[in-house]
Amino acid sequence: MSDEAPICSAKGCRADAVWVLAWNNPKLHTPERRKTWLACDEHREHLSQFLGVRGFLKDVVTLAEWDERQERQEPGQ
């Protein structure tokens, strides 16, 4: 794990990430697979729309909630 704070996935943005956009390209990924982009408050809507119009967006949650979910799925790590 890196000590650096996660940053927004928007091109050129270096802001701290606040949101996780979970997505899946059904032509490439199995239905349960989730890829993620991180977003700051400013870019959350733009990145969500980009994924949404393609039918890829599955979930948008705070980074804290995403981390909590991951910890519950992988106890002891």
Side-chain angles (χ1 to χ4, degrees):
M1 297 237 13
S2 172
D3 289 338
E4 295 181 31
I7 61 166
C8 181
S9 298
K11 185 176 182 179
C13 185
R14 304 301 298 165
D16 288 346
V18 179
W19 300 94
V20 175
L21 288 66
W23 61 278
N24 169 301
N25 180 340
K27 291 182 180 178
L28 302 175
H29 308 120
T30 59
E32 67 280 351
R33 173 96 187 264
R34 292 295 179 265
K35 304 279 284 176
T36 57
W37 281 356
L38 302 177
C40 63
D41 282 329
E42 181 180 348
H43 292 112
R44 180 184 64 92
E45 186 63 31
H46 171 74
L47 293 173
S48 293
Q49 287 179 356
F50 180 89
L51 293 168
V53 297
R54 290 159 178 78
F56 295 173
L57 187 62
K58 301 300 179 192
D59 200 8
V60 179
V61 297
T62 65
L63 182 57
E65 183 179 339
W66 183 264
D67 287 344
E68 221 174 82
R69 287 181 185 181
Q70 298 306 304
E71 287 175 13
R72 285 195 307 260
Q73 290 177 0
E74 300 172 8
Q77 291 188 4

